[in-house]
Amino acid sequence: MNRKYYLLFLAALLAGCGGGGDSKTNNTKTPTTITKQSRPQLKAEDTVLKFEGVGTVTEAKLSNVHGSVSYQVIDSNPLNVVKINDSGMLQILRPGTATILATDNSSAYESSEARFSITVERGINTDLSVSDLNFNAIESEGKALTVRGQKGELSYEVESGHNLIRVDENGSVYSLGSIGQASVLITDSGNELYLPKQVRATVKLHGVASGQLQFALLEDEYREGLTLEPARLDKAQTQSITYKIIRSEPDNKVAELLNPESGVLLVHNVGQLTVEATATYSDAFLDKQQTAQFVVDVKQGQREAISVADVVKTYEEGGRIFPKVTNARGDYSLRIISGTDVIAKSMSSEALLIKGVGTAEVEIYEHEMRNYPASKARFNVEVNRAPHPVMNDIEMSLIYQPSLSIPLAFSGQKGNVSLVGSLPDGLRMTDGKLEVETAGEYRLKFEDDGGDLYQPIQFNVVIKVAKAAGQAMVTQDYEMVYSKDYSFDLRRDFGLSTSNDHVELVDNTATDVIEVTADGRAYVYKAGKATLTVRRQESANYTAGPDQKVYVNILSAPSRIDVQSEVEETWRTNQPYVQKPTISGTVGEVSYRFAENAATDVVSLDSKTGEMRILNAGSTRVVVSDAGDDKFTPGESSFSVTIKQGTNPVSIAYPTVDFSAGTIISPVMSGGTAKASYRLINQKDPVVELVSPDTGRLKILHAGEYQVEVTLTGRNYKAKTIVVNGTINKAKHPGLSTSTMKVEFEPFKKVKLDFGTPIGNRSYQISSSTIKGVASLDVDKEELTLLDLPPVKRRWISLDVSEGESRDYKALESKKVQLYLSFADEGVADQYTLLETEQTVLFSTLNAREFSNLEESEFGLMNVRSVREPTDEELKLYGKGKIALLAFKPVGNDDQTLIKGAWVHLARFDGCTSELFEDDLKPFEAIDYDDPGYCTSGSTIRMTRFLIIDDSKMEKVEYELVAPVITYRRGVREFLATNKGGFYADPNVIYGKGEYGYPKSLYEWSVVNMKYQPN
């Protein structure tokens, strides 16, 4: 009975890389031609959003994406509403409406286009704020309201307390002489980017006892760099006032007293302080000293609610989603409200893992914060079916065998496979498998429906089934007494009558003795001997079998020696003796020998006793000779000996090993010896490659489980086919190939993290040992952006790196790596400058002709350790800007104990050339660091002023900066400088290096050193 074999399609498909080795029976070829398939039209939704700052990234809402999407701005009103950045993302530049053309290109599907609009409405100015005022009610002088963050023109009106105060058009408030509380409404008219907005200032009018030291309560909302100064209400002349913090709640981290003589406080956190002021008076006063206390109440700052844009993604196995979070003030977490079968949380709080297709709702919530109210929001995630990976047309070669079955399991298959069109003759479909009835060549087309996660795709399969080699027949020799008209059936005797195979006669040495007809019937004509050469006849599924000899001996008369039976036994390993048949009719000495041309290795034969012992499976013939006596002549007879194949005891196993690419593993045979033929099966994703089907040696490709079908044959054993399961364990992660990187510092330089090729899903996190704020990390792109220069002794960025478990390796636990930064003293920045006076104006390199067409830019500082806002008074004196504490050391002296700090006001003067003059920089002409800073009605001049405002801690010696200050101007749009004034780069154009370099968004950066000697 034939054993039924199942051939998995993939075993043939992966020939040469896990299914064929050097065997030619499982060869798969992949034609290179691919026909692009039709697809549904790409769809895009129009988007309306609020302006939240230049460079904000937004995502298009697309559906039916089958490949990679690129964008092109085809219309914009006004110009430059949206920019396509280097990563292909949409960046908002200003309010307006832009029309975008999205093009979806794929190697497997036809291209498709869709148009959509992005409408950007004017934003809400969250930076607008005003300081409250405290008055001695009897004061006659006005006090100006200090407004910060305005975008347009300011107007003022008394909202309540008209009987207490008045306010002029410049925002100066005057007391009308009564105690009470009033409010002033300030309106900012806005600009082309921001809507108008209003804020209110509380004005408190106090009654103050004559000669009494008195301060007002200080209340403000927290913001970065908030700096407060005491609000003294009395007007008595003092020789000095000193301040100290006597209470701080909830801890001592609310604020620091920058100067005990001025009482200026730099706020660090929300909380309450009680400050004690001690005033010393001249001899004209009876009380030479007075103390007073005032409370500083810092409330949580205002903030915009955290928000996340809805996410639309296509499915990606192992893919991660990094939501675009805006307005986050602290650490946040993600909570999946619904759709846990679509996405899952990752170890990183910033990412979601893609699990399936569908929609999910996610809540983002900030952990409790001290300085700002916590915030939470919900957003939707939609994961669509992914474009099906290209399935190339497949050609496979097989060899016919009984019940050859090809399951519909294709490499790269994602769903259920169905036949497109009809099935040709010679194949049939049964239980989801192709069964081969007839060898031949078949051309089929299939469609993979993609399952739940992928889109459908069609592909062609060519199946070439070669005829199997014809096998030897189980033949036998014949010895019989002649009788008239005797015949016998070779097909029946050779076991072919049930298989529909036929016997083919190749040669007959004595056609006068015996003749074989085409149907395998032998006809005996006379006594004699003949040798027949026969083979299994070629059929539709088999080639002709090997030639085999059949010996025929036709006796003329029966022998007087009678052998009662033939001998038949089953082979066993202990090679037992065989019981010879009962022999009668002998009269003389009996001897035994093998018949002419009979096999001599089936049994051993004692020529005198006829004792036989099993040697091997097979058939032979033994001749019995009787020497006769004085009455009888010698005589002979014969009998056949058949030793049938025994049960096959041989087993095969493969060692279980850890993954090591390319390592060869060999099978271990036990229980005996046999010829083995090996074939890989059930490898939808290949784990090993079969090096040779004869030796069974495997080459490791990946970790995982595999199956090998082994057919064991031998002379003495029945053939059997077994399936051997093997396992390649995941190996220990080999670690990172390097743990350091070296990078030369430039502001906002993007550094692609490279610590060797990742094995698993790699994650980075900036280590807590890294100075806060020196870099930001884009986890999705594995990219650092350098935001500041660390101090010389800590000029590195430490990262924690981990990798998830991969197909071949176990997970890598968190490891620390270092990014070392170097800083050039010359030749890298656009400008290196040494300042040597108390006040110096630094001209920007952007004032050159090649930048005359440059528009908006943002100004900033780096390598400055302590930066704060100006107090209300400082804002009036020095204008907008930042106040930085710069560290100075005596020139040429590195003694750390001699380092002194000085407060320096750094102001940005960017505007119209017709209005700004180097020798007359009025404080009110300074602009905010994030203002556009260019002239819309003429040429632009850009300047930066360094002004030392407090050097009280320094000695009368010459000092130099411990570390230089870095200033920069940058924008979102890339600008290419030319001798004609330059232009903004088109994102759809690739530019070479011009006369002044490549297009860039960091327009300039300067390294500023200072030498200074107090007067």
Side-chain angles (χ1 to χ4, degrees):
M1 178 178 177
N2 291 324
R3 176 183 177 92
K4 187 173 182 181
Y5 298 93
Y6 288 95
L7 172 66
L8 284 183
F9 188 93
L10 192 58
L13 178 62
L14 297 175
C17 65
D22 56 12
S23 170
K24 295 182 179 179
T25 63
N26 281 331
N27 184 35
T28 300
K29 297 179 181 178
T30 302
T32 56
T33 57
I34 300 172
T35 301
K36 289 194 174 183
Q37 300 184 36
S38 60
R39 45 83 57 82
Q41 174 69 36
L42 178 69
K43 294 183 179 180
E45 295 182 28
D46 295 339
T47 300
V48 178
L49 49 86
K50 291 277 189 183
F51 180 78
E52 293 183 351
V54 177
T56 303
V57 173
T58 187
E59 291 195 15
K61 297 179 180 178
L62 304 176
S63 57
N64 294 336
V65 176
H66 280 62
S68 176
V69 179
S70 60
Y71 301 96
Q72 182 181 358
V73 180
I74 58 175
D75 189 31
S76 181
N77 183 27
L79 293 174
N80 302 317
V81 173
V82 175
K83 169 183 181 289
I84 315 298
N85 69 11
D86 294 338
S87 301
M89 302 295 291
L90 304 170
Q91 279 188 295
I92 305 302
L93 299 181
R94 64 184 60 181
T97 300
T99 302
I100 311 295
L101 176 66
T103 303
D104 182 11
N105 290 309
S106 167
S107 58
Y109 300 91
E110 297 172 347
S111 297
S112 184
E113 294 181 345
R115 296 188 181 196
F116 63 98
S117 66
I118 296 179
T119 300
V120 184
E121 299 174 343
R122 285 198 292 172
I124 298 172
N125 178 13
T126 58
D127 295 329
L128 186 66
S129 65
V130 62
S131 299
D132 295 337
L133 285 181
N134 286 278
F135 266 91
N136 185 331
I138 62 173
E139 275 189 63
S140 58
E141 294 181 3
K143 285 189 176 183
L145 288 165
T146 302
V147 181
R148 303 170 192 260
Q150 68 267 29
K151 304 298 182 183
E153 298 295 326
L154 297 178
S155 59
Y156 308 87
E157 62 176 301
V158 176
E159 186 180 36
S160 65
H162 292 80
N163 60 325
L164 300 175
I165 60 169
R166 66 179 179 87
V167 61
D168 65 18
E169 62 182 9
N170 297 317
S172 290
V173 178
Y174 296 87
S175 171
L176 299 181
S178 300
I179 297 171
Q181 180 171 306
S183 65
V184 176
L185 184 65
I186 301 101
T187 301
D188 179 359
S189 63
N191 57 18
E192 70 276 8
L193 303 180
Y194 292 93
L195 294 166
K197 187 179 179 181
Q198 294 180 324
V199 289
R200 291 170 175 77
T202 299
V203 181
K204 296 179 180 179
L205 298 107
H206 303 267
V208 180
S210 177
Q212 181 181 349
L213 182 66
Q214 189 172 342
F215 295 86
L217 165 72
L218 293 182
E219 290 181 298
D220 213 330
E221 294 173 344
Y222 175 83
R223 57 181 180 270
E224 292 247 355
L226 175 63
T227 309
L228 301 174
E229 53 193 353
R232 186 180 171 193
L233 298 173
D234 69 292
K235 295 296 183 178
Q237 291 291 326
T238 61
Q239 289 184 332
S240 65
I241 302 179
T242 59
Y243 300 86
K244 65 180 180 180
I245 298 172
I246 61 172
R247 184 182 65 86
S248 179
E249 295 292 343
D251 51 34
N252 59 359
K253 297 179 180 180
V254 176
E256 66 175 300
L257 189 61
L258 296 181
N259 189 336
E261 295 177 356
S262 65
V264 173
L265 295 163
L266 177 58
V267 174
H268 296 302
N269 289 295
V270 167
Q272 282 193 337
L273 299 174
T274 300
V275 178
E276 183 178 81
T278 301
T280 303
Y281 298 90
S282 66
D283 293 340
F285 287 80
L286 292 176
D287 295 324
K288 297 296 190 292
Q289 203 171 65
Q290 281 192 63
T291 61
Q293 296 177 0
F294 60 92
V295 172
V296 180
D297 188 5
V298 182
K299 297 180 172 62
Q300 284 188 323
Q302 292 190 32
R303 49 87 53 84
E304 287 187 271
I306 193 170
S307 65
V308 185
D310 289 341
V311 179
V312 179
K313 289 285 185 182
T314 55
Y315 175 81
E316 177 186 356
E317 186 175 359
R320 294 183 292 178
I321 296 173
F322 293 88
K324 302 298 182 184
V325 182
T326 56
N327 305 323
R329 289 289 186 174
D331 294 334
Y332 57 81
S333 295
L334 301 172
R335 183 168 68 94
I336 299 172
I337 305 298
S338 63
T340 53
D341 57 334
V342 178
I343 54 175
K345 292 176 64 176
S346 69
M347 296 296 291
S348 166
S349 62
E350 299 178 8
L352 295 166
L353 301 178
I354 296 176
K355 290 177 60 180
V357 167
T359 58
E361 186 178 21
V362 183
E363 182 180 76
I364 181 171
Y365 60 95
E366 287 178 313
H367 303 294
E368 186 173 344
M369 291 178 294
R370 179 168 178 175
N371 295 328
Y372 295 97
S375 180
K376 64 181 179 180
R378 291 190 178 188
F379 63 98
N380 295 316
V381 176
E382 180 180 339
V383 181
N384 296 316
R385 295 168 74 187
H388 201 300
V390 174
M391 294 184 69
N392 294 331
D393 293 346
I394 298 161
E395 182 180 301
M396 58 183 299
S397 297
L398 307 172
I399 293 178
Y400 178 83
Q401 64 185 36
S403 301
L404 177 60
S405 178
I406 306 173
L408 300 183
F410 298 86
S411 178
Q413 178 181 334
K414 303 300 182 182
N416 295 318
V417 171
S418 58
L419 181 70
V420 178
S422 59
L423 201 62
D425 293 338
L427 298 177
R428 66 178 179 178
M429 190 80 74
T430 305
D431 296 330
K433 298 185 292 291
L434 278 177
E435 291 191 356
V436 179
E437 296 179 318
T438 307
E441 182 174 316
Y442 304 95
R443 297 181 178 272
L444 307 172
K445 175 172 282 190
F446 291 94
E447 179 172 284
D448 179 4
D449 65 11
D452 294 332
L453 305 178
Y454 293 89
Q455 295 161 3
I457 195 170
Q458 292 184 354
F459 56 96
N460 298 313
V461 176
V462 177
I463 304 174
K464 295 180 179 180
V465 183
K467 291 182 179 182
Q471 300 298 306
M473 300 175 289
V474 181
T475 62
Q476 67 181 58
D477 297 333
Y478 294 91
E479 183 175 277
M480 61 192 69
V481 177
Y482 171 78
S483 63
K484 188 181 179 181
D485 297 330
Y486 182 73
S487 66
F488 51 92
D489 189 351
L490 296 181
R491 286 187 72 236
R492 181 198 63 201
D493 294 345
F494 296 170
L496 302 184
S497 57
T498 59
S499 66
N500 202 33
D501 286 342
H502 296 274
V503 178
E504 180 183 356
L505 179 67
V506 178
D507 186 41
N508 182 353
T509 61
T511 56
D512 58 336
V513 175
I514 191 168
E515 184 180 6
V516 179
T517 60
D519 62 356
R521 192 155 197 88
Y523 292 90
V524 177
Y525 296 141
K526 68 176 184 177
K529 292 184 178 181
T531 300
L532 304 178
T533 302
V534 296
R535 66 185 179 189
R536 192 188 299 263
Q537 191 179 66
E538 183 176 0
S539 66
N541 293 324
Y542 293 93
T543 61
D547 290 353
Q548 295 175 268
K549 301 291 185 183
V550 175
Y551 300 98
V552 180
N553 185 12
I554 307 299
L555 302 174
S556 59
S559 171
R560 61 180 171 79
I561 302 172
D562 182 28
V563 179
Q564 292 187 356
S565 65
E566 305 294 333
V567 176
E568 186 175 288
E569 286 287 349
T570 300
W571 185 90
R572 294 190 291 275
T573 56
N574 58 356
Q575 297 180 320
Y577 287 100
V578 179
Q579 181 69 41
K580 66 182 179 182
T582 301
I583 299 172
S584 61
T586 58
V587 295
E589 184 180 353
V590 178
S591 63
Y592 301 86
R593 75 178 187 275
F594 289 111
E596 185 181 357
N597 297 319
T600 59
D601 60 349
V602 175
V603 292
S604 63
L605 178 64
D606 188 310
S607 62
K608 294 181 180 180
T609 65
E611 185 179 76
M612 295 177 291
R613 187 168 188 169
I614 295 175
L615 297 179
N616 290 295
S619 296
T620 189
R621 180 163 287 276
V622 177
V623 176
V624 182
S625 298
D626 179 8
D629 57 12
D630 56 348
K631 296 179 180 178
F632 293 93
T633 59
E636 288 184 344
S637 186
S638 66
F639 61 89
S640 66
V641 180
T642 301
I643 307 299
K644 296 187 294 184
Q645 292 175 320
T647 302
N648 200 327
V650 178
S651 62
I652 298 289
Y654 281 92
T656 298
V657 297
D658 290 342
F659 169 77
S660 177
T663 297
I664 302 296
I665 56 176
S666 298
V668 177
M669 184 177 292
S670 60
T673 58
K675 181 181 178 182
S677 177
Y678 299 83
R679 184 162 63 95
L680 280 171
I681 60 175
N682 292 343
Q683 274 212 113
K684 194 169 184 179
D685 293 314
V687 171
V688 292
E689 174 187 329
L690 182 62
V691 177
S692 168
D694 299 322
T695 65
R697 297 169 73 232
L698 303 175
K699 183 166 74 174
I700 295 176
L701 302 177
H702 295 289
E705 296 181 347
Y706 61 91
Q707 288 185 318
V708 181
E709 184 185 82
V710 187
T711 300
L712 297 165
T713 58
R715 179 174 179 177
N716 300 320
Y717 302 127
K718 293 178 182 177
K720 73 171 181 179
T721 300
I722 59 174
V723 174
V724 181
N725 295 310
T727 301
I728 308 297
N729 291 326
K730 292 185 179 184
K732 180 182 178 182
H733 198 291
L736 304 174
S737 59
T738 181
S739 60
T740 60
M741 283 182 66
K742 294 183 179 180
V743 175
E744 185 171 71
F745 177 84
E746 292 181 32
F748 305 104
K749 186 174 189 175
K750 294 188 181 299
V751 181
K752 186 68 177 177
L753 297 175
D754 183 9
F755 294 96
T757 303
I759 293 174
N761 201 343
R762 182 173 289 180
S763 296
Y764 290 93
Q765 187 174 359
I766 296 178
S767 174
S768 58
S769 61
T770 300
I771 294 176
K772 188 176 180 181
V774 299
S776 64
L777 174 64
D778 188 322
V779 184
D780 189 11
K781 295 181 181 178
E782 297 186 355
E783 187 177 76
L784 271 181
T785 301
L786 304 182
L787 302 179
D788 208 342
L789 181 66
V792 174
K793 293 184 178 180
R794 295 183 64 185
R795 197 154 285 174
W796 42 262
I797 297 170
S798 180
L799 298 163
D800 296 320
V801 185
S802 60
E803 284 187 15
E805 193 174 74
S806 65
R807 177 172 183 180
D808 299 326
Y809 292 93
K810 297 176 182 177
L812 172 69
E813 294 184 359
S814 182
K815 302 288 183 184
K816 284 201 181 300
V817 295
Q818 309 289 343
L819 184 81
Y820 292 100
L821 302 175
S822 61
F823 183 71
D825 293 329
E826 59 181 2
V828 178
D830 298 296
Q831 189 176 34
Y832 292 85
T833 304
L834 176 65
L835 308 181
E836 299 185 277
T837 58
E838 181 181 12
Q839 176 174 242
T840 306
V841 175
L842 180 64
F843 273 74
S844 169
T845 60
L846 303 180
N847 294 332
R849 182 183 62 179
E850 56 266 26
F851 291 99
S852 57
N853 293 330
L854 180 68
E855 296 179 353
E856 74 282 347
S857 64
E858 171 192 303
F859 179 82
L861 306 172
M862 289 186 179
N863 208 30
V864 178
R865 297 297 150 238
S866 181
V867 179
R868 64 176 177 85
E869 288 186 352
T871 64
D872 291 353
E873 186 62 26
E874 289 167 338
L875 193 61
K876 296 171 186 175
L877 292 174
Y878 312 123
K880 295 179 179 179
K882 302 289 184 183
I883 296 178
L885 182 63
L886 302 185
F888 287 85
K889 64 178 183 177
V891 173
N893 192 329
D894 293 327
D895 186 347
Q896 297 289 310
T897 63
L898 299 178
I899 293 177
K900 303 294 182 183
W903 289 102
V904 180
H905 186 273
L906 295 101
R908 175 194 183 194
F909 291 87
D910 292 7
C912 295
T913 305
S914 59
E915 298 175 2
L916 293 175
F917 302 96
E918 178 190 1
D919 56 353
D920 185 21
L921 292 179
K922 300 178 178 66
F924 62 81
E925 292 174 336
I927 64 173
D928 285 327
Y929 283 11
D930 59 355
D931 280 349
Y934 74 101
C935 186
T936 58
S937 58
S939 64
T940 301
I941 187 170
R942 297 175 173 90
M943 297 176 287
T944 307
R945 184 190 66 191
F946 287 72
L947 174 63
I948 297 176
I949 61 173
D950 184 356
D951 60 4
S952 59
K953 303 297 183 182
M954 305 174 79
E955 306 293 336
K956 305 297 184 182
V957 298
E958 187 178 26
Y959 288 89
E960 62 184 355
L961 282 178
V962 172
V965 176
I966 297 171
T967 67
Y968 64 83
R969 285 176 174 85
R970 67 166 183 160
V972 173
R973 295 188 288 168
E974 289 188 338
F975 187 84
L976 180 61
T978 68
N979 55 16
K980 293 184 178 180
F983 60 90
Y984 286 98
D986 186 333
N988 300 310
V989 176
I990 298 175
Y991 297 89
K993 186 176 182 180
E995 182 180 357
Y996 300 99
Y998 294 97
K1000 58 184 181 180
S1001 56
L1002 178 63
Y1003 304 136
E1004 73 161 354
W1005 68 288
S1006 302
V1007 177
V1008 181
N1009 276 289
M1010 293 181 69
K1011 284 187 177 180
Y1012 175 70
Q1013 182 169 346
N1015 296 323

